[in-house]
Amino acid sequence: MEIKTIADIDIKLASVSKIKDVDFETLSFGNVFTDHMLVCDYENGVWKKPSIEPYAPFMIDPSAKVFHYGQAIFEGMKAYKDEQDDVWLFRPDQNYERFNKSAVRMAMPEVPEDVFMGGLKQLLEIEKDWVKKGKGSSLYIRPFMIATGKGVVAAPAVFYRFMIILSPAKSYYSGEVKVLIAEHFSRAANGGIGAAKAAGNYSAQFYPTKLANEKGYQQIIWTDDATHTKLEEAGTMNVFFRINDTLYTAPTSERILDGVTRKSLIDLAKRENINVEVRPVLVTELVEAAQNGTLQEIFGAGTAAVVNPIVGFEYQGTYYELPKLDQPVALALKEKLNNIQYKLEEDTFGWTVKI
């Protein structure tokens, strides 16, 4: 795809850049932001003229419906710089489509493509120096929309704000990850908003994850809300299981997010002649495979970490350690995906888009 620059946009540049004060070698994920942000307001059924302006706090009414009824959605994307200093996006069309699916589910207005994609292109052209070269370096992109309309009546707002902020990032590494399989708490339910990237999905995970942390586990593998017998997601990521030489992952649904990294890893695995099965995976299958030695790997898949290997899991009071492999499939797939993102290998899928 080709992203067209939006023509009708106001641009106000920061008088001084913060970039010289940033140590790009010691970045902690999501805490440093670039000089500018994209802003576009929706009022009375119409999207207004977008603007790029200096990154700064903004005023909002205390009765804004985002605070009271949780109308807030977001996306997570990355920009990469190749050795020729060109900036690339990875499958941005998928993030744009999913953003608007989330908007529809949350009774929020869809964002026009020229505002989302064209505005992002313009913003990245201004902030190009914040995208550093080298494998592991990237610029994390956070598009989001909140309900700014005033009032505490329980109904959708009529005023909204769409924004894009940018944060330079290094390789994401969270150390060894051990997980607890959920037996009571659920991430999402049928008929709910689990397939939307809605803010409330993530805040609802904090308490059960805190309980898992107190037991020595970094994340939770979520199970289905009705029976807690089907494995669904790991923390905030999609999850894969390798039993013998086959990769298994749950199908997307009303409860499971349609992850861009997930679908990319599935396509990559198929290209590399790795067996992949997209089907419900039972907790009993996982436990049995761990007991008989056929469980080889578990890993999460998402934008921030790309692939996050899991070293073991607990279920019903028993901990199962995974084998330490010399050549794990998880890291091989991560390497191939990163090489495409950084333009170090040919993109046979047409996933990368030049800014």
Side-chain angles (χ1 to χ4, degrees):
M1 67 173 294
E2 179 184 355
I3 303 176
K4 297 180 180 179
T5 301
I6 184 170
D8 193 19
I9 187 170
D10 289 329
I11 298 177
K12 179 183 179 182
L13 298 180
S15 56
V16 179
S17 175
K18 302 174 291 189
I19 195 168
K20 64 182 182 300
D21 300 321
V22 177
D23 183 352
F24 284 87
E25 296 304 314
T26 60
L27 291 168
S28 59
F29 184 79
N31 287 316
V32 174
F33 297 93
T34 66
D35 294 318
H36 301 91
M37 58 187 186
L38 178 81
V39 181
C40 190
D41 288 320
Y42 180 89
E43 299 178 5
N44 301 318
V46 177
W47 283 102
K48 300 297 184 180
K49 187 177 182 179
S51 64
I52 291 175
E53 53 197 64
Y55 184 96
F58 60 91
M59 298 287 287
I60 188 168
D61 195 281
S63 72
K65 293 199 174 184
V66 64
F67 300 134
H68 302 275
Y69 302 111
Q71 278 187 293
I73 60 172
F74 67 93
E75 271 297 325
M77 312 162 62
K78 283 182 179 178
Y80 308 86
K81 183 174 282 185
D82 65 17
E83 291 304 311
Q84 288 71 48
D85 286 327
D86 290 321
V87 176
W88 298 81
L89 293 173
F90 181 74
R91 307 189 75 175
D93 57 316
Q94 299 294 308
N95 295 98
Y96 171 66
E97 289 175 12
R98 190 173 63 183
F99 187 86
N100 277 339
K101 286 180 181 178
S102 297
V104 169
R105 182 61 185 86
M106 298 298 291
M108 304 170 81
E110 295 181 65
V111 176
E113 185 174 354
D114 64 335
V115 173
F116 188 108
M117 302 295 284
L120 174 58
K121 177 180 173 69
Q122 192 87 11
L123 183 61
L124 288 173
E125 287 174 347
I126 292 170
E127 304 288 54
K128 184 177 181 180
D129 289 344
W130 287 83
V131 193
K132 297 303 181 182
K133 285 193 293 189
K135 207 166 183 182
S137 294
S138 62
L139 187 65
Y140 185 77
I141 302 165
R142 173 51 62 91
F144 66 100
M145 178 166 45
I146 59 172
T148 54
K150 297 187 294 183
V152 293
V153 175
V158 293
F159 296 95
Y160 295 88
R161 173 163 285 194
F162 169 70
M163 300 183 67
I164 301 178
I165 56 176
L166 309 173
S167 177
K170 292 290 288 182
S171 293
Y172 184 94
Y173 178 67
S174 58
E176 286 198 347
V177 176
K178 299 179 180 181
V179 298
L180 185 67
I181 293 181
E183 298 179 57
H184 172 69
F185 293 104
S186 299
R187 194 196 81 86
N190 283 332
I193 59 171
K197 281 191 77 74
N201 285 345
Y202 296 79
S203 60
Q205 296 186 52
F206 293 160
Y207 175 66
T209 302
K210 175 178 176 288
L211 297 181
N213 294 162
E214 291 170 355
K215 294 187 65 175
Y217 297 95
Q218 287 71 45
Q219 289 291 352
I220 292 174
I221 290 186
W222 304 100
T223 51
D224 68 289
D225 63 300
T227 66
H228 293 291
T229 60
K230 298 173 185 175
L231 299 158
E232 299 201 328
E233 293 192 347
T236 59
M237 309 176 80
N238 296 116
V239 64
F240 287 80
F241 311 93
R242 180 184 161 209
I243 299 174
N244 286 319
D245 291 323
T246 299
L247 281 179
Y248 298 89
T249 192
T252 57
S253 68
E254 290 180 310
R255 303 186 308 275
I256 298 175
L257 191 71
D258 186 13
V260 178
T261 304
R262 169 192 174 276
K263 65 178 71 176
S264 303
L265 291 175
I266 291 171
D267 288 344
L268 270 175
K270 290 177 178 177
R271 190 191 73 178
E272 299 301 313
N273 295 315
I274 298 169
N275 293 326
V276 182
E277 289 191 22
V278 179
R279 65 164 176 81
V281 182
L282 301 178
V283 178
T284 52
E285 286 184 81
L286 192 70
V287 171
E288 182 180 348
Q291 291 172 338
N292 65 27
T294 57
L295 178 61
Q296 303 297 305
E297 299 177 65
I298 306 175
F299 58 93
T303 299
V306 183
V307 165
N308 198 348
I310 291 167
V311 300
F313 70 92
E314 180 187 313
Y315 180 64
Q316 292 186 343
T318 300
Y319 179 73
Y320 301 90
E321 188 85 22
L322 271 69
K324 290 179 171 57
L325 305 177
D326 292 332
Q327 296 180 312
V329 166
L331 297 186
L333 289 175
K334 179 179 181 179
E335 178 79 4
K336 291 182 182 299
L337 188 57
N338 279 161
N339 285 345
I340 291 173
Q341 291 167 332
Y342 288 95
K343 306 302 288 184
L344 299 173
E345 286 185 15
E346 182 185 1
D347 176 12
T348 60
F349 297 98
W351 287 337
T352 50
V353 179
K354 188 176 180 180
I355 291 298

